[in-house]
Amino acid sequence: MFRLRLTFVLGLIAAVIVLAALLAAMSLVAIERQVVRGRVASDIATSFIQLSAQKQRLRTWVAQMQQGAPADLAQRDELETAMQGTVQRLKVLVEQAIQLDGSGEAREEHLRRGEALAVLERSVAALIKSVDEARPLAHDTDWRSAWDAHSRVFDIADGYDVRRLVAENIARESAAVQRERAAADARLAGVRWLWLAVAGALGAVTLIALFYFGRELRRPLQLLSEGADALQAGKLNHRIPLAGNDEFSEVARSVNALAAELEEHRQRESAQRQQLEEQVAARTGELADALTALREADSRRRRLFADISHELRTPTTVIRGEAEITLRGVDKPAGEYRQALARIVDTARQLGSVIDDLLSMARNDIDSLSLRRIPVDIDELASEAVAQAGPLAERQGVSLIGPPRATGSHVVQGDPLRLRQLLGILLDNATRYSSAGGCVRIEIQTRGREAHHPAHVLLSIEDQGIGIPPEELPHIFDRHFRGTQARLHSAEGSGLGLSIAQALAQAHGGSLLLESTASGTRAMLSLPVAQQEMLEGDVA
């Protein structure tokens, strides 16, 4: 059984790893102890050197003070404190060295360190006392004798030559540092060879295990992998050819049983999925039709509301303006009241027609507005449109110029209400977007009486307003489009006026064009001349 063999090999590798870990821990402890010993020896040697340097600096300070040079007492106190601290640090380091190594040979060295340290401690105490009592020398003092006495305080203590004692200790501690370093190097070399041996043993065991299991597992793993690839590729009729009582054979039997069950489920799922797809396709078609109908209804509703808000605003504004002008000021002659009421009636009639159109739009008949075509004099319609636009022009501070008197030569075939609505839109735009103090000029003329060109009436409305940028001209007849300058000039408006005006012009067989510069805009409405007028012109 692969399980038992694998467990044995893994246990062996684990035992080697545990042994290696124990050896590593022991090696780390030994190396750490050796490193600490070397550091303590190095610190002792450094402390002796520092003590010698501090004593020399203190000697220099005393010499300067005795010779009468300025002496800083704070510097003296600092040096004395440093020497005492160095002695105390040496005592602590010597105690650490004794704890780290208590062998016979090392014990003798520790005793010598202790004796030297005791002598140095007494020397430092005596030296500090002498330095504190030192005073500048008088002029008649024997300088040689003073210097010798000064040197004996610094160099002799308890019959020992302090300089020689410090030098011997420095030399001994330097040798100890070198000895500890050599011991540390030897210990590291031993640990290195130990670890190389452990790594070699572990590598050999691992290679043997890999070779054995690689040879034993290659065939069953390959067959299992081929079976898994076949299942992943959807070949559920594939079976893994493994027989026996080991673990791989058990896995192969389980996978084969799973493949058979999956194949059966796939067949059932395929039938169910086909049935579900048919149902989903039918429902999706129904939902798509319903969504299209809903979008069309919502679009018609939005367009209806937009048209209502736009188309009702202009007539109601005219009616209110006529009423305000009529009621303003003192009483007027009855004739003026009748004229104002007549214009209000005409505008109300136009408003009723607009409402009829909006009702037609609500019945999905927006693109087929009915037209009552009769001969219409554009001069008269233009005069009525100018009269209706007068109140708005007065509020805007804009002058309306034209049209000329009716000549009877500008007759077209069309619906008076629709044409009045068309002219009202054009005059409303020209007046609303003109600058205060400007004027709106209306001109009417007949063109195209040549043989190969049908006659048409050209009505132009030119304002002195904000103008239309060239990049916006291609979009001015789009529904709900309003240019940047138009929005800044007037917050009101829905962008439907020109679109409706163009539709009305085309419904009459004519056209509507706009030209614009930075100083104003010119709208040109072209309508075919009535057939009756053309015949009369031919007779003439």
Side-chain angles (χ1 to χ4, degrees):
M1 299 292 286
F2 280 104
R3 186 181 299 112
L4 294 177
R5 285 177 281 181
L6 182 61
T7 302
F8 172 76
V9 173
L10 291 178
L12 179 61
I13 294 176
V16 175
I17 292 175
V18 170
L19 178 61
L22 293 175
L23 290 175
M26 295 173 59
S27 301
L28 287 176
V29 171
I31 292 174
E32 183 181 7
R33 185 180 181 86
Q34 191 66 46
V35 169
V36 172
R37 289 175 59 184
R39 185 170 64 246
V40 169
S42 177
D43 291 343
I44 292 175
T46 303
S47 298
F48 275 115
I49 295 173
Q50 289 179 350
L51 184 62
S52 177
Q54 292 164 358
K55 189 177 71 168
Q56 185 62 35
R57 291 173 60 190
L58 188 60
R59 181 198 294 265
T60 302
W61 184 89
V62 172
Q64 292 176 350
M65 186 271 296
Q66 289 181 344
Q67 294 175 7
D72 188 359
L73 297 179
Q75 182 181 7
R76 181 200 66 186
D77 296 340
E78 181 181 354
L79 291 172
E80 291 175 352
T81 303
M83 291 179 67
Q84 290 175 344
T86 303
V87 171
Q88 295 301 321
R89 186 166 61 253
L90 279 170
K91 292 173 67 176
V92 173
L93 292 172
V94 169
E95 289 296 329
Q96 290 182 358
I98 294 173
Q99 293 176 2
L100 290 172
D101 191 357
S103 61
E105 181 180 355
R107 185 175 293 115
E108 292 296 331
E109 184 176 350
H110 297 327
L111 291 175
R112 289 196 297 272
R113 284 175 178 167
E115 293 175 357
L117 187 59
V119 173
L120 288 175
E121 186 175 10
R122 292 191 296 271
S123 174
V124 168
L127 180 61
I128 292 175
K129 181 179 179 182
S130 176
V131 169
D132 291 341
E133 296 174 353
R135 297 293 184 272
L137 299 178
H139 293 288
D140 56 351
T141 303
D142 186 0
W143 292 93
R144 183 63 182 177
S145 299
W147 176 255
D148 292 341
H150 171 68
S151 299
R152 283 196 299 272
V153 172
F154 277 89
D155 297 338
I156 305 298
D158 295 342
Y160 289 94
D161 187 345
V162 177
R163 290 182 300 174
R164 182 177 180 183
L165 184 63
V166 171
E168 290 176 352
N169 278 276
I170 291 174
R172 183 173 59 252
E173 298 305 330
S174 298
V177 170
Q178 297 298 325
R179 184 172 62 252
E180 295 299 337
R181 287 183 179 177
D185 293 340
R187 186 64 58 87
L188 286 175
V191 171
R192 185 185 305 112
W193 286 110
L194 176 62
W195 272 103
L196 288 175
V198 172
L202 184 60
V205 173
T206 305
L207 289 176
I208 293 172
L210 288 175
F211 176 77
Y212 171 75
F213 284 106
R215 186 182 62 180
E216 294 295 326
L217 298 177
R218 185 179 298 110
R219 181 176 177 275
L221 289 178
Q222 183 178 0
L223 293 177
L224 289 175
S225 177
E226 292 175 355
D229 293 339
L231 290 179
Q232 184 178 5
K235 300 177 182 178
L236 299 180
N237 58 350
H238 179 81
R239 299 295 180 266
I240 301 175
L242 275 179
N245 296 322
D246 57 8
E247 292 82 354
F248 298 107
S249 299
E250 294 178 0
V251 173
R253 285 192 289 270
S254 299
V255 173
N256 291 336
L258 177 62
E261 186 176 356
L262 288 176
E263 187 176 9
E264 182 179 355
H265 281 293
R266 172 183 284 183
Q267 294 174 356
R268 291 199 300 267
E269 182 186 358
S270 178
Q272 294 175 356
R273 184 172 61 251
Q274 184 177 1
Q275 182 181 2
L276 182 61
E277 287 177 353
E278 294 175 356
Q279 296 176 356
V280 170
R283 298 295 183 274
T284 302
E286 296 174 359
L287 290 175
D289 295 340
L291 180 61
T292 301
L294 182 62
R295 286 177 176 174
E296 291 177 356
D298 183 69
S299 177
R300 289 194 298 271
R301 178 182 62 81
R302 292 176 181 274
R303 293 179 61 183
L304 174 62
F305 289 159
D307 292 339
I308 289 174
S309 63
H310 183 275
E311 292 301 317
L312 296 184
R313 185 179 69 249
T314 301
T316 54
T317 301
V318 171
I319 292 174
R320 186 181 64 187
E322 288 286 353
E324 289 176 351
I325 292 176
T326 303
L327 296 175
R328 188 183 305 163
V330 298
D331 292 339
K332 299 178 177 60
E336 292 186 13
Y337 287 113
R338 282 194 295 272
Q339 291 177 1
L341 290 175
R343 287 193 293 268
I344 290 175
V345 169
D346 292 339
T347 306
R349 187 181 297 109
Q350 179 183 353
L351 180 60
S353 176
V354 169
I355 293 175
D356 292 338
D357 292 344
L358 294 175
L359 291 176
S360 299
M361 296 178 191
R363 293 192 297 267
N364 297 328
D365 202 18
I366 189 172
D367 294 326
S368 59
L369 298 177
S370 60
L371 297 177
R372 186 172 61 90
R373 298 180 182 274
I374 61 174
V376 180
D377 191 340
I378 294 297
D379 295 339
E380 295 180 0
L381 290 183
S383 298
E384 295 174 1
V386 168
Q388 292 177 354
L392 176 62
E394 184 177 351
R395 288 198 303 270
Q396 296 289 112
V398 177
S399 302
L400 298 177
I401 302 176
R405 293 182 178 181
T407 61
S409 59
H410 303 139
V411 179
V412 299
Q413 195 82 13
D415 190 324
L417 293 178
R418 301 289 186 266
L419 292 175
R420 190 180 291 111
Q421 177 186 358
L422 171 56
L423 295 180
I425 292 173
L426 297 179
L427 277 174
D428 181 79
N429 280 352
T431 304
R432 191 177 302 276
Y433 297 111
S434 287
S435 303
C439 66
V440 175
R441 185 181 303 276
I442 301 97
E443 295 181 354
I444 304 174
Q445 53 185 323
T446 303
R447 290 186 177 183
R449 291 187 178 273
E450 293 81 1
H452 300 289
H453 297 83
H456 61 277
V457 175
L458 179 64
L459 182 144
S460 63
I461 300 176
E462 185 175 0
D463 61 49
Q464 296 176 348
I466 59 176
I468 302 173
E471 63 273 9
E472 294 181 356
L473 280 176
H475 306 286
I476 55 176
F477 294 112
D478 295 344
R479 292 178 67 87
H480 303 290
F481 175 80
R482 296 192 71 206
T484 303
Q485 295 183 11
R487 290 194 300 270
L488 294 175
H489 183 80
S490 175
E492 300 179 354
S494 60
L496 289 171
L498 290 178
S499 176
I500 295 174
Q502 186 186 46
L504 291 174
Q506 293 175 352
H508 284 81
S511 63
L512 178 62
L513 299 176
L514 262 71
E515 296 177 349
S516 183
T517 62
S519 59
T521 303
R522 181 183 183 189
M524 294 174 290
L525 173 63
S526 176
L527 296 172
V529 174
Q531 188 68 26
Q532 181 179 0
E533 183 181 357
M534 294 178 64
L535 293 174
E536 293 175 356
D538 292 339
V539 173

